[in-house]
Amino acid sequence: MAKQPISDAAETFGARVRARRNELGKSQEGLADDSGMHWTFIGQVERGQRNVSLHNILKIAEALGMDAGDLVRGLKAPPAGSEKTG
């Protein structure tokens, strides 16, 4: 069974990362290399399965050639205790 996104915000963030990566024609491995992360981590981010730290958001945004604010704009934190588990 596939692991579910941890929150709507994480899912949306991941979709934005994937969309920009695809726009640039990069693979997950390429984005991982450019951001100094492991490709499996990038995959988990794109599927909304990771709560990404500020520093990693900044690294991903830089590797995607965009402002980190564009990746998080409009996202809302889930209410306390409501994170999805899978």
Side-chain angles (χ1 to χ4, degrees):
M1 176 181 243
K3 189 174 176 184
Q4 296 298 309
I6 60 170
S7 70
D8 291 340
E11 185 174 24
T12 300
F13 178 84
R16 290 175 183 177
V17 170
R18 179 181 292 117
R20 178 64 175 157
R21 176 180 62 75
N22 287 333
E23 206 175 272
L24 296 172
K26 287 188 182 194
S27 65
Q28 287 182 344
E29 293 86 354
L31 177 56
D33 288 343
D34 292 348
S35 61
M37 298 176 192
H38 195 274
W39 67 269
T40 58
F41 180 83
I42 296 296
Q44 291 170 339
V45 169
E46 289 187 358
R47 291 188 301 275
Q49 297 169 343
R50 285 291 193 145
N51 187 8
V52 186
S53 72
L54 172 62
H55 293 151
N56 286 340
I57 290 170
L58 295 172
K59 288 177 186 179
I60 290 168
E62 183 176 341
L64 292 172
M66 62 189 304
D67 188 280
D70 293 331
L71 290 173
V72 298
R73 188 170 318 320
L75 298 180
K76 304 288 184 214
S82 70
E83 287 82 11
K84 299 175 187 175
T85 59

